[in-house]
Structure formats: C-alpha cells, structure tokens
C-alpha cells in the first residue's frame, strides 16, 4: 500500500474537512502532525514532514492543503528522501499575504519540485488568484487543475467530501504503484 502523507495548513483541519475525512476513512492516509507550537513555523513544519517521510524507505505521496503546500515545497527544496508525487491544493500566495500566526514573513517558494505534482487552483480563492496559481504551478513544475469556483477548498467553502480530490489522489497513488 502506498503511503499518503497529509500535510495540513496553519491549523489542523476541522473534523468535516476533506483532509480530516481522508485521514479517518482511508488506511493509506496519515496526517503529518503539527509540532506542539500551534503557530506556523516553517522550519518546524518542514522538520515534522521530513520525519514522516523518513519513517520508511517506501516513497510517499504528499497531499498539502493551503500552507501545507508551502511546507511541501520548502521541504522538497531541502531534502531528497523518496517521494513519488504531490497533490497541492489551493496554496496561499505568500508574495501577497502573510500567514497568520507566523514568525518572520515567508516568501513564496519558487524551486521546481523534484517529483511530479498536481496543483489544484480555485477561481475564487481569497488567498491566491487563479493567475498567480498558474505561475506557481509553472514554477513548481506541476500540472494545473482548474477546480472552478471553490473558494479555498476548505470547510468554510463547503468541502467536507471532495470526490474530485479523491480521483486526483487515486491517479497519483496508481502511478506510484506502477
């Protein structure tokens, strides 16, 4: 079974959020735990992700939401442990917005990911315009998926279940097992 590591944003997802549902309902999905400090400290988050990836030699599929996408991109720039791919969902534009509860301002990572990725973008995300998401997908070397008008693709935007995301994840897991 392919390991899927779920990398949350600034806060842990609410119980009805698609990421929390996947963690509960899918045996292949494991959340990357927040460090004890609830503030978003990029170094702490990258360290926690590295520990989760290092837990086995089997390549993982990473799934990041919001600031979790930034964690994945920053981790990929610093580490070379085995990862087969990433699903990055509605990252925030850190060139325009600061993450809440952070230390020093974090700039938007621009380095190309060393593994295949899919970036899911919204036409109505308050944290990143679709045009900026196109640039981000290009910088990271990701396939861009236009999710339409889905806000930040979180519980506040009505996502609990996210069947389209499950389809994308199944595609990445299938490729990892091939």
């Amino acid at each position: 079974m392919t390991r899927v590591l779920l990398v949350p944003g600034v806060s842990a997802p609410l119980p009805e959020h698609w990421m929390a549902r996947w963690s509960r309902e899918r045996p292949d999905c494991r959340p990357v735990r927040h460090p004890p400090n609830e503030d978003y400290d990029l170094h702490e988050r990258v360290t926690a992700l590295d520990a989760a990836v290092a837990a086995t030699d089997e390549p993982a599929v990473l799934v990041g939401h919001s600031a979790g996408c930034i964690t994945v991109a920053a981790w990929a720039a610093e580490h070379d442990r085995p990862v087969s791919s990433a699903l990055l969902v509605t990252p925030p534009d850190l060139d325009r917005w600061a993450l809440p509860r952070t230390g020093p301002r974090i700039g938007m990572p621009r380095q190309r990911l060393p593994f295949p990725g899919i970036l899911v973008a919204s036409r109505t995300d308050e944290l990143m315009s679709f045009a900026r998401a196109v640039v981000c997908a290009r910088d990271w070397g990701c396939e861009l998926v236009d999710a339409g008008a889905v806000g930040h693709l979180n519980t506040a935007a009505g996502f609990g279940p996210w069947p389209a995301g499950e389809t994308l994840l199944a595609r990445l897991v299938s490729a990892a097992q091939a």
Side-chain angles (χ1 to χ4, degrees), residues 7-11 13 17-19 22 40 62-73 86-94 97 99-100 108-109 117-134 136-137 140 142-159 162 164-165 168:
V7 186
V10 172
S11 301
H17 188 282
W18 58 267
M19 189 175 269
W22 291 4
Y40 185 88
L62 305 179
V63 178
H65 178 248
S66 191
C69 300
I70 306 305
T71 302
V72 169
L87 176 61
L88 304 171
V89 183
T90 61
D93 182 356
L94 297 187
W97 302 101
L99 292 173
M108 196 70 185
I118 297 172
L119 188 148
V120 178
S122 169
R123 295 274 176 177
T124 56
D125 188 353
E126 63 276 7
L127 297 180
M128 182 179 282
S129 71
F130 189 79
R132 288 288 295 150
V134 170
C136 185
W140 290 349
C142 291
E143 172 188 342
L144 179 69
V145 172
D146 181 348
V150 295
H152 196 55
L153 234 159
N154 57 10
T155 307
F159 295 88
W162 182 36
L168 293 170

Side-chain angles (χ1 to χ4, degrees), residues 2 4 26 28 61 85 168-178:
T2 298
V4 178
R26 295 182 54 122
D28 59 339
V61 173
S85 58
L168 293 170
L169 179 58
R171 192 172 106 198
L172 294 176
V173 168
S174 177
Q177 295 172 344

Side-chain angles (χ1 to χ4, degrees), residues 42-102:
L42 183 60
H43 175 73
E44 286 182 349
R45 300 296 175 104
V46 167
T47 300
L49 176 55
D50 190 52
V53 173
T56 178
D57 290 336
E58 177 189 8
V61 173
L62 305 179
V63 178
H65 178 248
S66 191
C69 300
I70 306 305
T71 302
V72 169
W75 176 86
E78 297 176 14
H79 299 281
D80 63 355
R81 296 188 194 280
V83 167
S84 63
S85 58
L87 176 61
L88 304 171
V89 183
T90 61
D93 182 356
L94 297 187
D95 291 338
R96 185 166 177 219
W97 302 101
L99 292 173
R101 301 189 327 246
T102 63

